[in-house]
Amino acid sequence: MIVGRPLISVDEVTSTMDLAVRLATTGATSGTTVLAGHQTAGRGRAGRRWETVPRSSILMSFVAHTQRPHNVLGALSLLLGLAVAETVDDFTGEIATIKWPNDLLILGRKIAGILVVSKTSPADRSLVLICGIGLNVNTEASALPETGTSISLASGVPCGVGDVLPTLLDILTTTMNRFEQGDTDELWRRVEARLAFRGEMVSVQDGPRTHRGTLQGVSSTGLLELELSSGEEVTLAAGDLTRGPVAVP
Ligand code: BTN
């Protein structure tokens, strides 16, 4: 597949996810990508909103028909994070880190988020993925929360969506083809090398439950590995990760 082929560019849409889901379930081929200048109802993970200043960000969703088993899909979000991280590095000269399960950080601030949803293709009941990426490109600090940043802010150089998009689509294409072939060991090592907060105390809020412990790593299926203060090791499939509390010596 070639991510971005075909590329459907729209000025405004509710969410690129909505349009891409519609296309994916009505015969769109792998690689079909929706790119929007603005979303009126952009979505983040766990039902949150994803709001951006028009034309300040890459807002895209692409279709990927897959033969991969359902249990590797958690890892896909992190592999896509790696593709975005390597793109961000190219344009900022910094090293982006991957915050489980789906955030990209640069200098500790969020620069991008990933959202992957799966559907069943009505034609043959096979699995089809819709992969959404929101990447802040030329967003100004006044339009971002304290914890957010953009490529222009991190690099100090003005940069547009059109400058970044070709690199991102190229890296995503390589990532998706390797994912589909099950050839991800080397990509996975690169994910691990960029994992934010490894060895640090973190808290993970998963619905009503809070898990606190030391972040050990991620499994090859994308589960977060935590060592609790009791010494027990747990793996988590979902949750909101924050740094801390700081361990008291
Ligand atoms: C997150 O960090 O919670 C995930 C954010 C994903 C945002 C992107 S923007 C393009 C695509 N369309 C959406 O409505 N969401 C994703």
Side-chain angles (χ1 to χ4, degrees):
M1 74 183 266
I2 300 179
V3 180
R5 225 177 267 177
L7 182 67
I8 298 156
S9 204
V10 294
D11 192 41
E12 187 175 282
V13 69
T14 50
S15 158
T16 56
M17 299 304 279
D18 296 338
L19 185 47
V21 166
R22 215 154 53 234
L23 292 168
T25 50
T26 52
T29 50
S30 288
T32 302
T33 301
V34 177
L35 178 75
H38 183 52
Q39 300 183 123
T40 54
R43 294 198 289 278
R45 205 169 51 83
R48 297 192 189 99
R49 295 208 306 236
W50 185 263
E51 291 176 335
T52 52
V53 173
R55 279 157 286 284
S56 67
S57 311
I58 290 178
L59 304 169
M60 61 173 277
S61 300
F62 66 88
V63 174
H65 294 272
T66 186
Q67 304 294 321
R68 304 291 295 151
H70 206 275
N71 72 344
V72 298
L73 300 185
L76 179 61
S77 185
L78 295 163
L79 292 171
L80 294 175
L82 175 67
V84 180
E86 291 181 345
T87 305
V88 167
D89 287 5
D90 267 12
F91 287 88
T92 62
E94 303 287 345
I95 304 285
T97 58
I98 300 172
K99 179 180 164 232
W100 181 89
N102 70 339
D103 287 353
L104 267 297
L105 306 180
I106 197 114
L107 303 171
R109 292 169 194 261
K110 180 161 173 170
I111 196 163
I114 314 274
L115 186 65
V116 181
V117 302
S118 62
K119 299 279 170 196
T120 305
S121 169
D124 58 1
R125 315 304 299 157
S126 65
L127 196 60
V128 55
L129 308 174
I130 297 91
C131 306
I133 296 170
L135 168 60
N136 301 333
V137 177
N138 56 14
T139 326
E140 292 176 5
S142 57
L144 288 165
E146 181 71 10
T147 51
T149 192
S150 66
I151 290 181
S152 296
L153 286 171
S155 65
V157 179
C159 177
V161 165
D163 299 321
V164 180
L165 190 65
T167 302
L168 178 61
L169 294 179
D170 268 4
I171 302 180
L172 285 171
T173 297
T174 305
T175 302
M176 289 307 295
N177 288 320
R178 286 172 76 173
F179 170 74
E180 201 47 40
Q181 288 154 12
D183 173 22
T184 52
D185 287 359
E186 191 261 334
L187 291 179
W188 198 252
R189 281 193 288 279
R190 278 152 50 191
V191 168
E192 299 251 23
R194 284 176 187 265
L195 193 63
F197 314 141
R198 184 196 295 278
E200 294 185 40
M201 283 290 291
V202 296
S203 305
V204 181
Q205 191 71 41
D206 181 14
R209 297 198 60 187
T210 307
H211 307 269
R212 291 194 183 84
T214 307
L215 196 157
Q216 302 293 319
V218 281
S219 76
S220 58
T221 52
L223 302 178
L224 184 77
E225 299 166 337
L226 271 193
E227 183 183 310
L228 306 181
S229 45
S230 61
E232 187 195 347
E233 303 227 338
V234 294
T235 54
L236 302 172
D240 283 322
L241 175 73
T242 47
R243 194 182 206 168
V246 176
V248 180

